[in-house]
């Protein structure tokens, strides 16, 4: 009997033995807008918001000896400061005494996604991770809430399923996602339906890998809204210039998206599309403007080139990106993935969406150049972006620095000059523009983070 018990216990250990990791961050993010103008809804003049938030996201991850894994994580936090509570109009009236920073932290539209989110009904805590998975050399899957890492246009914390079938050179993958949350930096927003639709989003593709080339064709759809076909190719190489080794990586992205008949008739969330819609509304300064119909869909193209120069104590990188939209291609896609790696929400909370800039706007053209260096524990990056679109033109120049104070504590500061011209015939917050308006959206942001 003892021998049988010992054998059973040994088998149990072999099957269910595991190791676990407890990780997470405690972080503060703050933004200080330089434009403190009085609100004048008649001409579309609004300030740049300032706010500060504090949050933490502890999580446990388990790796079992039988290739299974599991994880559970919790995110919670709160708003420390919100300048929009004190913003006044030309008559001295407080327009948002409860504040608008809840759109970054705590935004909650109810479990079914049909309730109106307000600053009085926020949710500042939720399970950010909750998954089980399996992974071997040929097959893997995850189900639950976890971080998507293999899709260009579905990234971040998703609620869904991901699976892979792998051979030496080909990784065929598929994902289904139902909801997405926003977590990290200035965000803490609970999981909500993608594009406010209860219909899941599906994507399937193959990652074909050879020594210098990677090619990923894929199909992505939210069946009641759109069907997208796209690709992502990467070429990596190295060469020597003046006896200095330089490593090069070229990425090319492209997709075509077609919208369903019902999707074409929706009012754009981001004030994009081609056909303006007017009708009876309650806000006088909108002159009856309801927005624009989403329209036909379109195509997008991205070229990203980066060069890296690794040296003993000093590492450099530099390059450029060109991103072009043909039509309103990003209406249902750009808010849930971002292969550019730039902040898409650094305008003002008083503009469209949640501080959306014009990178993914209809017919937008973006020219981006960047340079960065790393010296020991110091990182410095400079990014210049120039964007033109029918709705707005933007120029942004950012200087970003971060430093590791101790082993797991880091501090960062970002100074951004941001010039924004929004054009006649579009909407800013509660105003329909009968003229072009130019605003300073420059800001300073900081973060301090301790990882454990």
């Amino acid at each position: 009997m003892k021998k049988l018990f010992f054998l059973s216990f040994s088998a149990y250990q072999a099957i269910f033995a595991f190791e676990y990791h407890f990780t997470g961050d405690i972080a503060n993010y703050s933004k200080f807008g330089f434009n403190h103008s009085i609100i004048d809804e008649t001409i579309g003049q609004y300030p740049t918001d300032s706010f500060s938030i504090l949050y933490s996201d502890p999580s446990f991850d388990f790796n079992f000896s039988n290739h299974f894994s599991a994880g559970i994580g919790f995110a919670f936090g709160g708003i420390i400061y919100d300048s929009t509570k004190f913003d006044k109009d030309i008559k001295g009236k407080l327009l948002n005494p409860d504040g608008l920073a809840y759109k970054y932290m705590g935004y909650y539209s109810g479990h079914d996604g049909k309730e109106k989110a307000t600053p009085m009904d926020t949710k500042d805590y939720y399970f950010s991770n909750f998954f089980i998975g399996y992974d071997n050399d040929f097959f893997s899957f995850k189900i639950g809430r976890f971080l998507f890492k293999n899709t260009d246009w579905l990234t971040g914390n998703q609620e869904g399923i991901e699976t892979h079938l792998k051979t030496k050179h080909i990784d065929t993958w598929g994902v289904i996602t139902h909801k997405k949350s926003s977590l990290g930096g200035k965000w803490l927003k609970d999981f909500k339906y993608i594009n406010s639709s209860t219909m899941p989003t599906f994507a399937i593709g193959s990652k074909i890998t050879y020594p210098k080339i990677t090619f990923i064709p894929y199909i992505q759809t939210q069946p009641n809204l759109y069907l997208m076909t796209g690709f992502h190719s990467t070429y990596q190489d190295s060469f020597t210039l003046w006896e200095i080794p330089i490593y090069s990586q070229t990425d090319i992205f492209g997709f075509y998206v077609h919208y369903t008949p019902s999707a074409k008739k929706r009012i754009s969330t981001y004030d994009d599309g081609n056909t303006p819609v007017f009708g009876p509304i309650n806000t006088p300064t909108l002159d009856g403007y309801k927005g624009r119909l989403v329209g036909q869909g379109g195509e997008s193209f991205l070229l990203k080139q980066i060069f890296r120069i690794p040296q003993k104590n000093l590492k450099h990188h530099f390059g450029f990106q060109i991103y072009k939209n043909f039509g309103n291609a990003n209406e249902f896609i750009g808010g849930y993935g971002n292969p550019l790696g730039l902040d898409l929400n650094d305008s003002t909370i008083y503009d469209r969406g949640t501080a959306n800039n014009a990178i993914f706007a209809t017919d937008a053209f973006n020219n981006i150049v960047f340079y960065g260096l790393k010296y020991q524990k110091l990182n410095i990056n400079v990014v210049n972006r120039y964007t033109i679109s029918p709705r707005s033109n933007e120029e942004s120049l950012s200087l970003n620095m971060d430093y590791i104070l101790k082993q797991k504590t880091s501090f960062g500061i970002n100074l951004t000059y941001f010039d924004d011209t929004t054009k006649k015939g579009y909407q800013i917050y509660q105003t329909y523009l009968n003229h072009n308006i130019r605003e300073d959206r420059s800001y300073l942001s900081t973060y301090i983070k301790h990882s454990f």
Side-chain angles (χ1 to χ4, degrees), residues 313-324:
N313 295 318
L314 189 64
K315 298 179 180 180
H316 304 265
H317 72 269
F318 59 93
F320 65 89
Q321 298 187 69
I322 295 174
Y323 184 73
K324 170 62 181 171

Side-chain angles (χ1 to χ4, degrees), residues 117-133:
T118 72
M120 306 305 294
D121 186 19
T122 59
K123 188 178 179 185
D124 299 326
Y125 57 90
Y126 63 96
F127 285 101
S128 53
N129 289 324
F130 195 82
F131 69 88
I132 60 171

Side-chain angles (χ1 to χ4, degrees), residues 327-342:
N328 186 15
N330 282 124
E331 177 71 32
F332 302 115
I333 298 165
Y336 304 98
N338 175 15
L340 280 77
L342 299 179

Side-chain angles (χ1 to χ4, degrees), residues 95-281:
L95 294 188
N96 301 288
D98 297 317
L100 298 175
Y102 76 96
K103 295 185 178 182
Y104 298 108
M105 169 164 283
Y107 184 98
Y108 187 62
S109 54
H111 180 73
D112 59 1
K114 296 181 180 179
E115 300 175 17
K116 180 176 175 56
T118 72
M120 306 305 294
D121 186 19
T122 59
K123 188 178 179 185
D124 299 326
Y125 57 90
Y126 63 96
F127 285 101
S128 53
N129 289 324
F130 195 82
F131 69 88
I132 60 171
Y134 178 87
D135 189 5
N136 63 28
D137 292 337
F138 311 104
F139 170 74
S140 69
F141 81 87
K142 270 188 179 180
I143 182 169
R145 293 181 170 183
F146 58 95
L147 188 67
F148 274 27
K149 298 179 179 179
N150 297 288
T151 45
D152 293 322
W153 296 102
L154 290 169
T155 55
N157 291 67
Q158 305 272 348
E159 181 178 281
I161 303 169
E162 180 174 348
T163 184
H164 294 259
L165 295 173
K166 297 171 281 188
T167 64
K168 182 178 180 180
H169 293 293
I170 300 177
D171 176 3
T172 300
W173 53 266
V175 300
I176 303 171
T177 178
H178 200 216
K179 295 181 177 181
K180 183 185 185 299
S181 76
S182 299
L183 177 62
K186 56 191 164 190
W187 301 105
L188 194 150
K189 296 168 67 174
D190 195 4
F191 287 84
K192 66 174 185 176
Y193 290 114
I194 293 176
N195 294 315
S196 302
S197 171
T198 57
M199 178 72 73
T201 301
F202 304 85
I204 186 170
S206 289
K207 183 177 182 180
I208 305 166
T209 305
Y210 284 93
K212 293 185 178 182
I213 298 175
T214 301
F215 183 66
I216 308 172
Y218 59 86
I219 297 173
Q220 181 173 313
T221 181
Q222 198 166 7
N224 63 330
L225 295 177
Y226 70 87
L227 174 64
M228 177 178 76
T229 58
F231 72 91
H232 174 189
S233 65
T234 302
Y235 178 75
Q236 294 178 307
D237 203 355
S238 62
F239 58 93
T240 301
L241 182 65
W242 299 310
E243 299 184 352
I244 300 173
I246 300 175
Y247 296 85
S248 169
Q249 179 173 320
T250 306
D251 288 272
I252 300 175
F253 305 74
F255 71 78
Y256 167 77
V257 60
H258 175 76
Y259 298 152
T260 66
S262 60
K264 295 175 185 178
K265 297 177 182 178
R266 285 176 48 155
I267 297 293
S268 169
T269 303
Y270 308 107
D271 195 26
D272 281 325
N274 300 314
T275 308
V277 179
F278 291 86
I281 57 175

Side-chain angles (χ1 to χ4, degrees), residues 353-366:
T354 304
N356 288 82
N357 57 41
I359 290 177
F360 286 163
T362 295
D363 292 322
F365 175 80
N366 300 273

